[in-house]
Amino acid sequence: MVESRTRSAASPDLPHPSGDPRFALIDRTLKRFRFQQDALIEVLHTAQEAFGFLEEDLLIYVARQLKLPLSWVYGVATFYHFFSLQPQGEHNCIVCMGTACYVKRAAEIVAALQTAYGIEAGQTTPDGMLSITAARCLGSCGLAPVLIVDGQVLARETPETAIAAVQLAIEASAAAGNGRSSQLDDSYDEEGDL
Amino acid sequence: MAVITMTINDELVSGVEGQSLLTLIREQGIELPTLCHLEGLEARGGCRLCLVEVQSTHRLLPACTTTAQEGMAIQTHSERLVRYRRMILELLFAERNHVCAVCVMNGRCELQDEAAKIGMDHVRYDYLVPELPLDASHDKFIIDHNRCILCTRCVSVCDSVEGAHTWDVMGRGVNSRVITDLNQPWGVSRSCTSCGKCVQVCPTGALANKGSTVAEMVKRHDFLQWILDGREKKQWVMQNGGSEGRR
Amino acid sequence: MKRSDLQAMARRELERQQAVRCRLLCCASTPCLSSGAATVQQALEQAVTDNKLDAEVAVVSTGCMGPCSRGPMVTVQVAGQEDIYYENVTPESAQRIVVEHVMANQPVAEKIMPSDLPFFAKQHKIVLANSGLIDPERLEDYVARDGYSALAHALREMTPEEVCAEISKSGLRGRGGAGYPTGLKWDLVRKAPGEKKYVIANGDEGDPGAYMDRTLMESDPHRLLEGMAIAGYAVGADQGFLYVRGEYPIAAKRLEKAIRTAERRGLLGSRVLESSFSFRIDIRIGAGAFVCGEETALMASIMGRRGQPTPRPPYPAQSGLWECPTLINNVETFGNIVPIIAHGADWFASVGTAKSKGSKIFALAGKVDTTGLIEVPMGITLREVIYDIGGGVGEGHTFKAAQTGGPSGGCIPAEHLDTPMDYESLRALGAIMGSGGLIVMDNASCMPDVAKFFMEFCTDESCGKCVPCRVGTVQMHRILERITNGSATAADLQILEELCTMVQETSLCGLGQSAPNPVLSTLRFYREEYEAHIQRRECPAGVCKMTEAPTLALMEALPRRIRELGTIPMSLA
Ligand SMILES: Cc1cc2nc3c(=O)[nH]c(=O)nc-3n(C[C@H](O)[C@H](O)[C@H](O)COP(=O)(O)O)c2cc1C
Ligand code: SF4
Ligand code: SF4
Ligand code: SF4
Ligand code: SF4
Ligand code: FES
Ligand code: FES
Ligand code: FES
């Protein structure tokens, strides 16, 4: 869901002192906002896109750059549900729990996924394969209940089709043999096309 | 400064333009509970205990954040207001784990005080019984989240008076919690100067000196005015001879 | 760009459009995309190329056409003929549309959605006038439909006072929920002292089950920008912010592109249309917090802080972003500005009712035949919306309730189906207009469970600043949980009702103040359902499982009382 929202075109910025090129993305956003403290949320968006989640080091880096207190940055990062301080699973399944989907029994889908994978909404399986998230309306209410599996919107789901879709995603990547790194590549690609 | 007149509980009173309703009400000797506001810190309107009825609007307004205005007519202790205050206190007692009998602030706690004053002798709501930690990693102080009412006085004093901004709030809703730095143990916080201001302003037993035992902790607030007057007016006048701050 | 350049651009684009014999409009808004609109568009393009029709047929991706549940939608426009709508288009039927309809003039009958259906006939499109007809990513398409001429007109021919007066005269009221008169708000900001002022478009759209703001942003982004620019001119602001909900990346992307195009053409940025008026617009992306739809929380969020509301007064019009006077309106409110300036306040005021003017977009969802996005004149009855436009609840189902206003709103029962949809009538029923979510429920919905659903939402979304909302919503949720699992007592219901009024009256912001509405409204119209749950441990709709034994409630109460002993505040003697 956290799709590309950095606006500047990809440019060959110099690598960050830490050697991790992803910091260059953060630096670019910092520069675009001229290091203004008000830009904290935008910077966190960029950081999460680049790294997948907000590690402690990353929060410290952002706090230093914006000259903000650590607790302030932590407070903001934990207030908004978009930001995650834990690594996310290789695959993710977002179940809409908005009103329209609730009326069309999305709760049964969540329950079925919970039983099938042993985790609750908001959690990641211990093997890091799957995260299940509940969302509040994905803006496709006409097609309720709605599900997003690895970025693909699926409409008019049932518990059975939902599990089948998740299983398919997991098996596909198991066959291909790698998942996580390709996700990161995706976010770079999206960077480029804007 | 212009003088304004208004009615409080059907009595005509006069005050100064720009004053908060709360100041004006207290000047009349009327007691109003305030668990989040503290004179000298920025008013926030969070606890909702200081709500008053204002005749010109159907909404209840917090006295701490509302500016007194010419011609206002307010009620501070209507049956409805007292009932709501009691319910809010019950909600606070139910939210976390308050066991006064073993609390460092027993007998001097603002929350407990207000509950006693209003005659709150039982709680009709579910105790939420959250599992919350106690952090004793700091050399001098402890924070017991079980007693915290999220008034954020600690956040405010540490930011605006001490200038360290060690505290902030994480999460939201009922899962909010006050944190030091990156939600690290207070003891490893590099921003904390150990000044103790947060401990002094905390209304409950959440923040206390390390080593205090049951009913032992005494807090004072007078340093706030001392510092603020010193900063603004270059005047250092200790009120009440510098003894216990509250009351 | 000057006004004459604008007219030239419109002329060129119209010529370009008339050069083709036929336009195939393909909905590329989110719901249709999730039903496979992208492959349909590819198939259309492929078929056009295969049949060497490139010179005479254009395939255009547009915004939402309305009947989203029937998507993917395709409209065929042939010069001199009425538009024809196709529903549930697949790549195969796309091929047939090109071959049979476009080439042989034989429309594919079984895929046609008749345009005389009440679904279309009862609508009145003011805000969505362009939606589904233009390519949202092309400025020219918008300009060809008179885009930016209202802004040009306002800048040249009207003073800021006159713009405010025109909006006031139109009777437009805020579409974000509360229905505050827009003209009045603009005038307040205009008159507020201050050098620097801001305009904010609220596109946070937090109501879970509504997506009209999203559609407007995705389908006609320039209309929103033009409306904001007119507002900026009227109130004296040179900076605007568009706050887009984090879940809407496509909307954000299109708006971003639209802003850049408009700036490049001199329609935004410095010296708009070569006048002395400058107006920049920046986008801010939300990060997943319903409360950030509340205006003061939204401003905190724009300033990079925790999205917690602050007490009003001061209102944003006096002191908003960075303590400057700030105008904040809903996205749909801004969508009404251009037509008002273009066609006049009187024209606008002729639609709707005495106190609610114009049209309202609803996201019709739930148990109705055709779900989707509809724009209807204010004052239309709920019955017309559900049975005519939506096509009813379907054979064998009984209408039970329509929920408006999401977590801040209420449920309307069958006996009030003839209520006109306007601000006052809905409020009188304990529901609200809200932002336009309209969810239809049939007998399969259990009302206490619905109330629990919304209360859970509120506990999740409460910012935690004030006690009544932070703890009160959790307590109310607990009681509703007991009601729906069979362990509630009569006393619980009483405590619930008391809490409702208290939270309503004492909470700091609208979230807490309106959180009890779904409970109060279901209690008002479906009290017997609550009683069935409590007294007979029955769920009439068969939704609640009633897994807890009633005795448990008593047992639970016991340790509660004992624990209380430890926590009763000590006497201070
Ligand atoms: C909890 C809460 C959520 C809100 N969410 C939205 C929202 O998603 N979109 C919106 O436009 N207004 C929302 N509002 C209303 C705004 O505070 C504000 O009144 C509105 O944006 C003003 O615009 P209008 O006058 O054009 O309606 C919300 C209010 C509250 C209290
Ligand atoms: S903080 Fe106050 S109310 Fe809470 S347990 Fe301690 S004394 Fe009692
Ligand atoms: S002791 Fe002083 S510096 Fe440390 S947290 Fe408390 S107020 Fe802040
Ligand atoms: S620790 Fe004390 S001062 Fe800080 S929020 Fe909790 S109760 Fe208030
Ligand atoms: S009512 Fe709820 S959302 Fe609003 S300020 Fe209070 S706690 Fe926050
Ligand atoms: S409620 Fe699920 S998409 Fe809107
Ligand atoms: S003291 Fe006024 S709201 Fe807490
Ligand atoms: S999204 Fe295609 S018709 Fe609404």
PDB file of all heavy atoms in Angstrom, chain C residues 291 309 461-466 469-470 507-509 511-513, ligand 5:
ATOM      1  N   VAL C 291      -8.559  10.084  12.824  1.00  0.00           N
ATOM      2  CA  VAL C 291      -8.754  11.352  13.518  1.00  0.00           C
ATOM      3  C   VAL C 291      -8.125  12.505  12.732  1.00  0.00           C
ATOM      4  O   VAL C 291      -8.508  13.656  12.896  1.00  0.00           O
ATOM      5  CB  VAL C 291      -8.210  11.272  14.965  1.00  0.00           C
ATOM      6  CG1 VAL C 291      -6.711  11.139  14.986  1.00  0.00           C
ATOM      7  CG2 VAL C 291      -8.650  12.475  15.774  1.00  0.00           C
ATOM      8  N   PRO C 309      -6.142  16.374  18.018  1.00  0.00           N
ATOM      9  CA  PRO C 309      -6.910  17.611  17.909  1.00  0.00           C
ATOM     10  C   PRO C 309      -6.564  18.576  19.040  1.00  0.00           C
ATOM     11  O   PRO C 309      -6.069  18.164  20.084  1.00  0.00           O
ATOM     12  CB  PRO C 309      -8.368  17.151  18.052  1.00  0.00           C
ATOM     13  CG  PRO C 309      -8.343  15.696  17.780  1.00  0.00           C
ATOM     14  CD  PRO C 309      -7.010  15.208  18.241  1.00  0.00           C
ATOM     15  N   GLU C 461      -9.274   4.166  16.744  1.00  0.00           N
ATOM     16  CA  GLU C 461      -8.890   5.427  16.136  1.00  0.00           C
ATOM     17  C   GLU C 461      -8.823   6.584  17.121  1.00  0.00           C
ATOM     18  O   GLU C 461      -8.390   7.667  16.754  1.00  0.00           O
ATOM     19  CB  GLU C 461      -9.844   5.774  14.985  1.00  0.00           C
ATOM     20  CG  GLU C 461      -9.841   4.748  13.848  1.00  0.00           C
ATOM     21  CD  GLU C 461      -8.486   4.667  13.134  1.00  0.00           C
ATOM     22  OE1 GLU C 461      -7.735   5.653  13.173  1.00  0.00           O
ATOM     23  OE2 GLU C 461      -8.179   3.605  12.563  1.00  0.00           O
ATOM     24  N   SER C 462      -9.286   6.377  18.332  1.00  0.00           N
ATOM     25  CA  SER C 462      -9.200   7.438  19.328  1.00  0.00           C
ATOM     26  C   SER C 462      -7.747   7.854  19.477  1.00  0.00           C
ATOM     27  O   SER C 462      -6.858   7.008  19.545  1.00  0.00           O
ATOM     28  CB  SER C 462      -9.734   6.926  20.662  1.00  0.00           C
ATOM     29  OG  SER C 462      -9.302   7.776  21.705  1.00  0.00           O
ATOM     30  N   CYS C 463      -7.509   9.157  19.531  1.00  0.00           N
ATOM     31  CA  CYS C 463      -6.115   9.590  19.600  1.00  0.00           C
ATOM     32  C   CYS C 463      -5.567   9.452  21.002  1.00  0.00           C
ATOM     33  O   CYS C 463      -4.365   9.439  21.216  1.00  0.00           O
ATOM     34  CB  CYS C 463      -5.967  11.020  19.105  1.00  0.00           C
ATOM     35  SG  CYS C 463      -6.351  12.256  20.344  1.00  0.00           S
ATOM     36  N   GLY C 464      -6.449   9.381  21.994  1.00  0.00           N
ATOM     37  CA  GLY C 464      -5.987   9.154  23.349  1.00  0.00           C
ATOM     38  C   GLY C 464      -5.770  10.411  24.161  1.00  0.00           C
ATOM     39  O   GLY C 464      -5.326  10.348  25.294  1.00  0.00           O
ATOM     40  N   LYS C 465      -6.096  11.549  23.581  1.00  0.00           N
ATOM     41  CA  LYS C 465      -5.812  12.776  24.305  1.00  0.00           C
ATOM     42  C   LYS C 465      -6.783  12.985  25.466  1.00  0.00           C
ATOM     43  O   LYS C 465      -6.383  13.389  26.541  1.00  0.00           O
ATOM     44  CB  LYS C 465      -5.899  13.960  23.346  1.00  0.00           C
ATOM     45  CG  LYS C 465      -5.556  15.284  23.988  1.00  0.00           C
ATOM     46  CD  LYS C 465      -5.364  16.353  22.933  1.00  0.00           C
ATOM     47  CE  LYS C 465      -4.966  17.675  23.566  1.00  0.00           C
ATOM     48  NZ  LYS C 465      -4.668  18.681  22.545  1.00  0.00           N
ATOM     49  N   CYS C 466      -8.059  12.748  25.233  1.00  0.00           N
ATOM     50  CA  CYS C 466      -9.004  13.027  26.316  1.00  0.00           C
ATOM     51  C   CYS C 466      -9.600  11.743  26.882  1.00  0.00           C
ATOM     52  O   CYS C 466      -9.782  10.749  26.187  1.00  0.00           O
ATOM     53  CB  CYS C 466     -10.065  14.018  25.873  1.00  0.00           C
ATOM     54  SG  CYS C 466     -11.266  13.393  24.715  1.00  0.00           S
ATOM     55  N   CYS C 469     -13.166   9.821  25.628  1.00  0.00           N
ATOM     56  CA  CYS C 469     -13.077   9.070  24.382  1.00  0.00           C
ATOM     57  C   CYS C 469     -12.080   7.929  24.520  1.00  0.00           C
ATOM     58  O   CYS C 469     -12.362   6.801  24.125  1.00  0.00           O
ATOM     59  CB  CYS C 469     -12.704  10.021  23.251  1.00  0.00           C
ATOM     60  SG  CYS C 469     -12.191   9.246  21.731  1.00  0.00           S
ATOM     61  N   ARG C 470     -10.944   8.197  25.114  1.00  0.00           N
ATOM     62  CA  ARG C 470      -9.911   7.166  25.207  1.00  0.00           C
ATOM     63  C   ARG C 470     -10.399   5.957  25.998  1.00  0.00           C
ATOM     64  O   ARG C 470     -10.254   4.819  25.563  1.00  0.00           O
ATOM     65  CB  ARG C 470      -8.661   7.758  25.869  1.00  0.00           C
ATOM     66  CG  ARG C 470      -7.502   6.788  25.985  1.00  0.00           C
ATOM     67  CD  ARG C 470      -6.291   7.429  26.649  1.00  0.00           C
ATOM     68  NE  ARG C 470      -6.426   7.555  28.093  1.00  0.00           N
ATOM     69  CZ  ARG C 470      -6.129   8.644  28.786  1.00  0.00           C
ATOM     70  NH1 ARG C 470      -5.694   9.722  28.168  1.00  0.00           N
ATOM     71  NH2 ARG C 470      -6.284   8.669  30.099  1.00  0.00           N
ATOM     72  N   SER C 507     -16.347  14.882  25.295  1.00  0.00           N
ATOM     73  CA  SER C 507     -15.130  14.638  24.526  1.00  0.00           C
ATOM     74  C   SER C 507     -14.604  15.905  23.883  1.00  0.00           C
ATOM     75  O   SER C 507     -15.354  16.834  23.611  1.00  0.00           O
ATOM     76  CB  SER C 507     -15.377  13.589  23.447  1.00  0.00           C
ATOM     77  OG  SER C 507     -15.575  12.345  24.038  1.00  0.00           O
ATOM     78  N   LEU C 508     -13.321  15.891  23.618  1.00  0.00           N
ATOM     79  CA  LEU C 508     -12.670  17.080  23.087  1.00  0.00           C
ATOM     80  C   LEU C 508     -13.030  17.334  21.625  1.00  0.00           C
ATOM     81  O   LEU C 508     -13.304  18.440  21.232  1.00  0.00           O
ATOM     82  CB  LEU C 508     -11.150  16.929  23.243  1.00  0.00           C
ATOM     83  CG  LEU C 508     -10.259  18.151  23.062  1.00  0.00           C
ATOM     84  CD1 LEU C 508      -8.897  17.877  23.670  1.00  0.00           C
ATOM     85  CD2 LEU C 508     -10.073  18.557  21.626  1.00  0.00           C
ATOM     86  N   CYS C 509     -13.006  16.301  20.811  1.00  0.00           N
ATOM     87  CA  CYS C 509     -13.219  16.557  19.391  1.00  0.00           C
ATOM     88  C   CYS C 509     -14.382  15.737  18.857  1.00  0.00           C
ATOM     89  O   CYS C 509     -14.980  14.922  19.558  1.00  0.00           O
ATOM     90  CB  CYS C 509     -11.957  16.269  18.583  1.00  0.00           C
ATOM     91  SG  CYS C 509     -11.761  14.547  18.136  1.00  0.00           S
ATOM     92  N   LEU C 511     -14.570  13.219  17.041  1.00  0.00           N
ATOM     93  CA  LEU C 511     -14.515  11.764  17.043  1.00  0.00           C
ATOM     94  C   LEU C 511     -15.206  11.203  18.280  1.00  0.00           C
ATOM     95  O   LEU C 511     -16.103  10.373  18.190  1.00  0.00           O
ATOM     96  CB  LEU C 511     -13.064  11.279  16.974  1.00  0.00           C
ATOM     97  CG  LEU C 511     -12.870   9.794  16.655  1.00  0.00           C
ATOM     98  CD1 LEU C 511     -11.519   9.558  16.016  1.00  0.00           C
ATOM     99  CD2 LEU C 511     -13.014   8.889  17.846  1.00  0.00           C
ATOM    100  N   GLY C 512     -14.803  11.704  19.435  1.00  0.00           N
ATOM    101  CA  GLY C 512     -15.416  11.242  20.670  1.00  0.00           C
ATOM    102  C   GLY C 512     -16.864  11.690  20.768  1.00  0.00           C
ATOM    103  O   GLY C 512     -17.738  10.923  21.174  1.00  0.00           O
ATOM    104  N   GLN C 513     -17.101  12.928  20.373  1.00  0.00           N
ATOM    105  CA  GLN C 513     -18.461  13.455  20.482  1.00  0.00           C
ATOM    106  C   GLN C 513     -19.456  12.659  19.651  1.00  0.00           C
ATOM    107  O   GLN C 513     -20.632  12.590  19.981  1.00  0.00           O
ATOM    108  CB  GLN C 513     -18.487  14.936  20.050  1.00  0.00           C
ATOM    109  CG  GLN C 513     -17.829  15.860  21.059  1.00  0.00           C
ATOM    110  CD  GLN C 513     -17.399  17.178  20.440  1.00  0.00           C
ATOM    111  OE1 GLN C 513     -17.755  17.478  19.301  1.00  0.00           O
ATOM    112  NE2 GLN C 513     -16.640  17.975  21.173  1.00  0.00           N
TER     113      GLN C 513
HETATM  114  S1  SF4 D   5     -12.322  12.845  21.408  1.00  0.00           S
HETATM  115 FE1  SF4 D   5     -10.991  11.092  21.033  1.00  0.00          FE
HETATM  116  S2  SF4 D   5      -9.957  11.598  19.146  1.00  0.00           S
HETATM  117 FE2  SF4 D   5     -10.828  13.487  19.923  1.00  0.00          FE
HETATM  118  S3  SF4 D   5      -9.249  14.396  21.163  1.00  0.00           S
HETATM  119 FE3  SF4 D   5     -10.433  13.125  22.537  1.00  0.00          FE
HETATM  120  S4  SF4 D   5      -9.351  11.185  22.516  1.00  0.00           S
HETATM  121 FE4  SF4 D   5      -8.626  12.310  20.768  1.00  0.00          FE
END
